[in-house]
Amino acid sequence: MGLLPVLAATGAFWLVGALWYGLVFGSVWLRETGIAQTPAPARMALIMGLTFAFEMLVVMTLAHLVARTDPSPRVVMMMATGFALTVMIPAIGINYLHQRKSLTLFLVDAGHFLAGMAAAGGVLIAFR
């Protein structure tokens, strides 16, 4: 897979997060995290930029697997959502258990990773 599909899939993942933590679950997420104020613009730009970079690493791994195995679209979606369900979400769960975070916060964040990976998988399929 080339850079363009990876960037587009990462953009889809990032856009899911922007909508998820903005319009859809923004107030719930803020309440559950206890975050009371928005970071300064420079800090927010850094947070968003690093979020994109981290999501791109995840998408690059998925794109590499897709490119090397040439799976059907159904299998691409199974890989994308399966990675979220079996690696990303359990990792969040382990951290949240030890940090004593709420189940609500876990479900919001887990849902973001599942929806984001599904979006990334869908974009990778579209570029094949």
Side-chain angles (χ1 to χ4, degrees):
M1 285 237 164
L3 184 59
L4 183 59
V6 169
L7 287 172
T10 304
F13 195 155
W14 191 90
L15 185 58
V16 165
L19 294 170
W20 197 266
Y21 293 111
L23 295 174
V24 181
F25 292 108
S27 60
V28 173
W29 186 81
L30 287 171
R31 183 186 72 234
E32 293 299 314
T33 60
I35 295 172
Q37 61 186 19
T38 304
R43 176 88 171 142
M44 184 58 100
L46 177 65
I47 290 168
M48 293 300 140
L50 288 173
T51 297
F52 190 89
F54 288 139
E55 288 174 348
M56 190 163 144
L57 286 172
V58 173
V59 170
M60 286 171 59
T61 300
L62 177 62
H64 175 77
L65 291 172
V66 169
R68 296 295 173 251
T69 60
D70 194 29
S72 70
R74 179 181 65 83
V75 174
V76 172
M77 291 308 291
M78 288 173 61
M79 292 165 77
T81 58
F83 190 72
L85 289 168
T86 64
V87 177
M88 300 168 82
I89 293 171
I92 296 166
I94 291 165
N95 282 337
Y96 284 13
L97 285 170
H98 290 278
Q99 296 173 20
R100 292 162 183 84
K101 301 288 184 183
S102 72
L103 176 61
T104 301
L105 181 60
F106 170 75
L107 293 173
V108 169
D109 288 342
H112 162 248
F113 282 109
L114 184 58
M117 287 299 286
V123 170
L124 292 178
I125 289 169
F127 271 90
R128 295 179 77 205

